[in-house]
């Protein structure tokens, strides 16, 4: 089975922390993740630094990186302005977040849910012409803190719209960590046609301890992209109490015991978790670095 | 689907804490768990108080309880002496732990693995004659901190021995939290004949964030008993770094979203987690009380 872990720690991991990481620290983190074997890294987001100061200076972070030819670096974008900024850098992938919940979308990116789809469609040709990959991330695909349950049919409609607009990949995001495995299955059932033949994946938070069970169901359903964050850092500035992503090092352990090779180096990941723990000791939700590896 | 959560917080949850809970606190915890809807509660363990001071005064805890006619209270025992103590109380179930790993068994209960099976066989008739239920718990069924991987064939052999000796139920325990779903499946494959027609379950620790995924696999395999601990407290005094059981309140949330009714009251569970958090704030690994319920 082929699975790619997309490391979102430098973006989702850092964006909600009380401590600001310097440009040098962010570049160090990305370079060390690459050295630990990660081949897709969401390195930055192109958002308003007044609203998300943790993500300021995206261009400077990318410029501070050593050459990483084996790594597909990506930038998260929420609108046309962000896409233009990303295209002016060397990132090979843009991850454009659309949002299933209208209320959440207005709070997070100051537009309605349909507007976010329209913005995606508007930037897609620019991304294609620039020879970059375009991933559509559907946020709040499994539930919204303001609107509650989201109908799977709405997610299917959005996935179809992203596909029609030219998405290379689609990622279904449990932004606030509410899904259980049955929700993963239901949404996938609804999206089967829209995802057919397309690379797709999941972005999971472990806010209610369901993230790793959800991961297993997503894998059974054929997800090929698994977003994870080193140390299990993570959260959304506009989603109250949406703590930690599933942790890269714990996903690595789980997949390894399932017989799925991810090419990651546990020892290097563990050292990087230590480096993070020195800076944000109470934010580490990944458990492997503390518990230790088991088995071959 | 019918699933019974066996609450092990008063035993596994408290036995590894630096803070000693008083007899009154332990009785309060058990009574409140019953009020929250738990119908099987591992209330005490009959072990040497010099080795596990947290579990001293088991008889006093049981005597301090109000009448709980709807609840099957159990005592964990490790040997004949513990079984005799348990039979002298009113508990309706004895949970006798045998250990797959010889090294772990010698450290935990001062006898070899086969000796623990022989001790089980020796006490089984006493338990039956006293009209109590007898559960055989196979500790380190998925791995040992000292011996590493344990052969599933050994677990099957032990399950067969427990069944032959008269076990009413068998619980397979991931004592140190190393299993992944494939391990749950492998051990179940090996134990199919031994478990056929018998009530069986799993005891899972979330030490490496695999516990809830393992739970899902165990349910798919027909497990009817799920050990869980309020607040995700838990650990073994003789298993270094074996942190938290899967948390009762998080299991409740997960099962609820899967469409499985457990009869539990989330609000009462959350209040009880708060009560625990006032006493051991840094030991709560369950996430629901902090993140909040989602959905209907």
């Amino acid at each position: 089975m082929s699975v790619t872990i997309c490391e979102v720690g430098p973006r989702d991991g850092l964006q909600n922390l009380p401590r600001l990481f310097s440009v040098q620290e962010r570049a160090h983190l990305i370079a060390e993740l690459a050295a630990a074997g990660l081949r897709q890294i969401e390195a930055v987001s192109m958002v308003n630094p007044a609203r998300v100061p943790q993500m300021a200076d995206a261009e400077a972070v990318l410029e501070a990186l050593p050459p990483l030819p084996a790594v597909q670096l990506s930038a998260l974008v929420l609108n046309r302005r962000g896409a233009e900024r990303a295209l002016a850098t060397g990132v090979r992938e843009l991850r454009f977040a659309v949002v299933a919940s209208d209320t959440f979308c207005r709070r997070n990116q100051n537009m309605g849910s349909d507007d976010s789809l329209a913005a995606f469609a508007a930037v897609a040709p620019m991304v294609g012409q620039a020879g970059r990959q375009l991933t559509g991330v559907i946020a709040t695909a499994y539930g919204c803190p303001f609107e509650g349950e989201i109908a799977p049919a709405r997610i299917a409609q959005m996935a179809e719209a992203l596909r029609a607009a030219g998405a290379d990949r689609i990622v279904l995001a449990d932004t606030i960590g509410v899904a259980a495995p049955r929700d993963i299955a239901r949404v996938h059932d609804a999206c089967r046609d829209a995802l057919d033949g397309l690379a797709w994946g999941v972005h999971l938070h472990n806010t209610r301890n369901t993230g790793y069970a959800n991961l297993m169901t997503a894998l059974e359903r054929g997800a090929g992209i698994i977003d994870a964050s080193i140390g299990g850092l993570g959260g959304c500035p506009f989603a109250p109490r949406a703590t930690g992503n599933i942790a890269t090092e714990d996903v690595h352990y789980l997949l390894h015991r399932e017989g799925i090779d991810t090419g990651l180096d546990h020892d290097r990941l563990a050292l990087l978790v230590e480096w993070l723990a020195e800076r944000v000791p109470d934010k580490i939700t990944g458990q492997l670095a503390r518990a230790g590896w088991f088995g071959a």
Side-chain angles (χ1 to χ4, degrees), chain A:
Chain A
M1 187 188 286
S2 169
V3 175
T4 300
I5 296 180
C6 177
E7 169 64 46
V8 299
R11 199 277 304 169
D12 205 348
L14 301 187
Q15 73 173 10
N16 204 34
L17 293 176
R19 180 188 188 282
L20 293 184
F21 279 60
S22 71
V23 165
Q24 288 70 28
E25 285 176 316
R26 288 157 69 190
H28 173 79
L29 176 60
I30 294 164
E32 285 299 310
L33 287 162
L38 287 150
R39 292 295 168 259
Q40 289 194 23
I41 303 178
E42 195 176 289
V44 293
S45 73
M46 300 300 189
V47 293
N48 184 345
R51 297 194 76 201
V52 189
Q54 295 90 339
M55 291 291 101
D57 305 314
E59 290 83 356
V61 170
L62 294 169
E63 279 162 25
L65 289 175
L68 300 170
V71 178
Q72 173 146 321
L73 294 176
S74 64
L76 183 76
V77 305
L78 304 179
N79 51 36
R80 184 186 188 100
R81 162 134 182 72
E84 286 169 351
R85 280 179 64 195
L87 290 174
T89 72
V91 297
R92 286 155 64 186
E93 177 191 7
L94 276 68
R95 303 184 113 210
F96 192 112
V98 298
V99 186
S101 152
D102 214 54
T103 310
F104 191 97
C105 201
R106 290 185 194 284
R107 294 201 191 199
N108 195 60
Q109 49 220 61
N110 202 29
M111 61 176 84
S113 176
D114 283 334
D115 301 329
S116 73
L117 285 175
F120 181 93
V123 306
M126 296 161 48
V127 179
Q129 282 154 27
R132 317 291 177 94
Q133 298 277 307
L134 179 59
T135 298
V137 179
I138 306 181
T140 68
Y142 304 93
C144 166
F146 312 114
E147 297 190 4
E149 310 276 356
I150 303 286
R154 171 64 180 158
I155 309 306
Q157 187 187 38
M158 296 182 75
E160 192 52 64
L162 295 178
R163 181 196 185 101
D168 298 298
R169 302 188 186 86
I170 292 178
V171 170
L172 305 170
D174 186 15
T175 308
I176 58 167
V178 292
R182 192 163 69 158
D183 302 309
I184 303 294
R186 275 181 184 154
V187 172
H188 181 252
D189 282 343
C191 293
R192 246 179 231 279
D193 289 346
L195 298 177
D196 185 42
L198 209 65
W200 71 280
V202 286
H203 175 99
L204 301 169
H205 284 249
N206 195 39
T207 309
R208 288 166 183 81
N209 259 330
T210 60
Y212 299 87
N214 293 341
L215 164 61
M216 294 309 299
T217 300
L219 293 175
E220 285 163 19
R221 294 304 188 110
I225 306 160
I226 304 298
D227 282 10
S229 169
I230 182 79
L233 299 178
C236 173
F238 306 104
R241 301 192 290 188
T243 52
N245 291 66
I246 54 173
T248 306
E249 66 277 19
D250 294 10
V251 171
H252 176 215
Y253 177 79
L254 175 57
L255 294 187
H256 179 82
R257 281 201 80 83
E258 292 294 300
I260 301 169
D261 181 36
T262 55
L264 298 181
D265 177 334
H266 171 65
D267 291 337
R268 290 199 83 136
L269 290 176
L271 286 172
L272 201 41
V273 175
E274 272 182 43
W275 182 86
L276 288 166
E278 288 165 10
R279 287 158 178 80
V280 284
D282 58 338
K283 299 295 183 184
I284 305 296
T285 66
Q287 302 202 39
L288 252 288
R290 183 172 50 99
W293 193 264
F294 178 85

